[in-house]
């Protein structure tokens, strides 16, 4: 009698806990979850066909699903030029390539006016890529009307590039910090601006820089970061530090590569392998020959699966317009 009672008790507990267990579990495994490259300089429509070939190789040989790219190289201009491109990309690829406005020289101010931003977001653009580099130019008061409009209409700052790696590319610490501090002043004035900063805001070259990056993320809740082109530099921070950082800020980190001018002329295998090395750097603790760029060995940081899921697609689906709907239309189940 007692035994039967215990069995009944355990059975009831299972019934009660089953729904909780189900909701805590992802419906995806590493081989089925969609992965989004949020930092890709894709370019022409012809080039997109080649990206789809890379996607095929990744699926067939590496058993991973690279589902979508946020394209940071587009011909869209302030006067509406490039509209045909945008329509054709959507028609041909059902949203696998989502397009951003791009602005690479801001020394004379931002290229798109507030009115133009409204027009482009209505046409389906998902973000505004701004390249600043080692310069305080973004902090010019003339940019404020455009940045305010971005806040109002939900135009995401897409892979906004601030400063450059110090001391690798930028040799002057004063200039390096001047650019980052100028960006912080912009964020102070525009607290509702949602921005994915490119390359970990270039604060990745030492444990101290990584600590400063934590301060930025703690101070500005609408700032996210992509890890594009930073895989090869993981060695410059203590492995345990970068790992803990990625776990702690899993909701704020997005996968990206900075792929550009590739793949070309059928070299799909090589590009697929490069993508796979990036995935392995995050998923395994293997020593990898090199990352997407560079030739330095790095050891993977074996992140937990729920963290990877956020970095690969969940954060992008939450932050950028259209991503969630496109994934659903493509047949993915996204809560
Ligand atoms: Zn880039």
């Amino acid at each position: 009698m007692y035994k039967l009672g215990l069995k009944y008790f355990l059975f009831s507990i299972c019934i009660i806990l089953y729904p909780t267990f189900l909701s805590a579990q992802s419906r995806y495994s590493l081989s089925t979850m969609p992965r989004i490259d949020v930092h890709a300089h894709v370019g022409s429509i012809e080039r997109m066909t080649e990206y789809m070939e890379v996607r095929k190789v990744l699926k067939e040989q590496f058993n991973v699903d690279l589902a979508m790219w946020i394209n940071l190289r587009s011909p869209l201009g302030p006067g509406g030029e490039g509209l045909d491109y945008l329509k054709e990309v959507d028609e041909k690829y059902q949203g696998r390539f989502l397009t951003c406005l791009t602005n690479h020289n801001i020394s004379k101010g931002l290229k798109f006016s507030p009115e133009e931003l409204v027009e482009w977001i209505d046409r389906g653009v998902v973000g505004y890529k701004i390249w600043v580099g080692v310069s305080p130019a973004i902090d010019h008061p003339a940019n404020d009307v455009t940045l305010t409009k971005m806040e109002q209409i939900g135009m995401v700052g897409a892979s906004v590039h601030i400063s450059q790696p110090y001391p690798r590319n930028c040799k002057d610490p004063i200039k390096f910090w001047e650019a980052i501090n100028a960006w912080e002043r912009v964020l102070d004035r525009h607290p509702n601006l949602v921005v994915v900063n490119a390359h970990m805001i270039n604060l990745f070259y030492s444990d101290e820089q990584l600590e400063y990056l934590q301060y930025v993320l703690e101070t500005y809740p609408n700032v996210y970061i992509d890890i594009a082109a930073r895989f090869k530099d993981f060695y410059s921070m203590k492995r345990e530090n970068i790992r803990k950082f990625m776990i702690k800020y899993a909701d704020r980190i997005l996968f990206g590569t900075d792929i550009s001018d590739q793949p070309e002329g059928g070299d799909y295998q090589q590009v697929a392998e490069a993508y796979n090395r990036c995935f392995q750097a995050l998923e395994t603790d293997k020593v990898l020959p090199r990352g997407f760029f560079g030739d330095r060995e790095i050891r993977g940081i074996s992140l937990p699966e729920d963290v990877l899921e956020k970095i690969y697609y969940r954060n992008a689906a939450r932050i950028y317009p259209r991503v969630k709907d496109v994934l659903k239309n493509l047949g993915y189940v996204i809560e």
Side-chain angles (χ1 to χ4, degrees):
M1 192 62 206
Y2 168 75
K3 269 189 177 169
L4 196 68
L6 183 67
K7 266 186 190 167
Y8 182 72
F9 173 73
L10 289 175
F11 179 71
S12 313
I13 289 287
C14 287
I15 294 286
I16 292 164
L17 290 182
Y18 188 59
T20 325
F21 173 75
L22 259 191
S23 63
Q25 288 289 303
S26 166
R27 62 180 66 245
Y28 289 113
S29 67
L30 280 177
S31 55
T32 57
M33 70 176 66
R35 293 152 191 248
I36 303 175
D37 184 345
V38 303
H39 191 142
H41 302 271
V42 178
S44 70
I45 293 170
E46 296 73 46
R47 188 56 67 83
M48 289 171 190
T49 319
E50 306 206 59
Y51 274 74
M52 294 303 281
E53 290 299 321
V54 172
R55 170 178 151 73
K56 216 160 112 188
V57 177
L58 276 165
K59 213 161 196 178
E60 284 167 5
Q61 286 183 34
F62 299 100
N63 202 22
V64 294
D65 184 355
L66 180 57
M68 192 190 278
W69 293 265
I70 304 283
N71 177 17
L72 306 177
R73 183 181 292 163
S74 76
L76 311 187
E81 57 264 50
L83 187 56
D84 289 347
Y85 166 93
L86 191 63
K87 283 183 184 159
E88 198 180 333
V89 170
D90 271 349
E91 263 168 36
K92 268 199 170 150
Y93 295 103
Q94 297 86 41
R96 288 209 187 264
F97 299 90
L98 292 177
T99 312
C100 293
L101 303 174
T102 60
N103 199 164
H104 278 267
N105 179 2
I106 64 154
S107 57
K108 293 192 178 88
L110 293 171
K111 188 161 84 179
F112 293 87
S113 70
E115 297 72 31
E116 284 154 356
L117 291 187
V118 174
E119 283 170 13
W120 277 116
I121 205 165
D122 287 346
R123 293 164 180 156
V125 153
V126 298
Y128 185 10
K129 156 83 180 179
I130 304 166
W131 199 97
V132 181
V134 185
S135 153
I138 190 69
D139 188 31
H140 195 285
N143 295 327
D144 277 331
V145 282
T146 304
L147 294 163
T148 301
K149 187 52 85 180
M150 288 173 74
E151 286 180 284
Q152 289 167 352
I153 63 174
M155 174 71 91
V156 175
S159 295
V160 174
H161 184 130
I162 304 295
S163 206
Q164 284 286 45
Y166 171 82
R168 194 212 309 146
N169 303 61
C170 171
K171 308 281 179 214
D172 183 339
I174 294 172
K175 290 209 156 87
F176 170 76
W177 286 108
E178 202 175 47
I180 289 167
N181 293 340
W183 179 236
E184 285 180 61
R185 289 194 295 277
V186 169
L187 295 172
D188 283 332
R189 291 201 300 281
H190 301 281
N192 296 318
L193 181 67
V194 174
V195 57
V196 178
N197 269 131
H199 313 305
M200 302 168 74
I201 325 185
N202 287 311
L203 290 164
F204 65 89
Y205 233 107
S206 65
D207 291 303
E208 290 74 20
Q209 289 185 15
L210 190 65
E211 241 172 77
Y212 195 84
L213 181 54
Q214 294 202 39
Y215 153 78
V216 176
L217 293 178
E218 292 290 340
T219 311
Y220 303 102
N222 284 323
V223 169
Y224 300 83
I225 54 168
D226 76 42
I227 50 176
R230 292 298 168 256
F231 301 96
K232 71 165 181 174
D233 300 301
F234 278 5
Y235 71 86
S236 58
M237 297 156 283
K238 278 196 201 78
R239 181 176 176 272
E240 208 38 45
N241 282 353
I242 179 74
R243 187 171 187 277
K244 273 189 195 151
F245 171 84
M246 302 279 261
I247 293 170
K248 185 170 178 190
Y249 295 100
D251 291 318
R252 313 282 292 279
I253 301 170
L254 290 87
F255 177 79
T257 58
D258 207 7
I259 186 169
S260 46
D261 302 321
Q262 295 180 67
E264 201 174 18
D267 209 356
Y268 313 131
Q269 182 73 26
Q270 206 185 331
V271 177
E273 281 170 15
Y275 263 109
N276 197 51
R277 275 195 297 276
C278 294
F279 297 140
Q280 296 223 310
L282 299 174
E283 293 166 24
T284 74
D285 63 357
K286 286 182 196 161
V287 174
L288 299 160
R290 63 185 187 91
F292 210 92
F293 298 86
D295 49 15
R296 185 122 179 194
E297 268 188 359
I298 53 154
R299 191 177 152 212
I301 53 173
S302 58
L303 294 172
E305 213 163 296
D306 59 325
V307 169
L308 292 163
E309 203 167 0
K310 290 173 175 179
I311 294 174
Y312 285 151
Y313 77 92
R314 273 193 195 276
N315 295 339
R318 203 174 68 245
I319 296 164
Y320 294 91
R322 299 188 58 198
V323 169
K324 201 173 178 176
D325 290 340
V326 167
L327 286 175
K328 282 182 180 172
N329 288 342
L330 290 168
Y332 298 95
V333 181
I334 308 290
E335 289 96 22

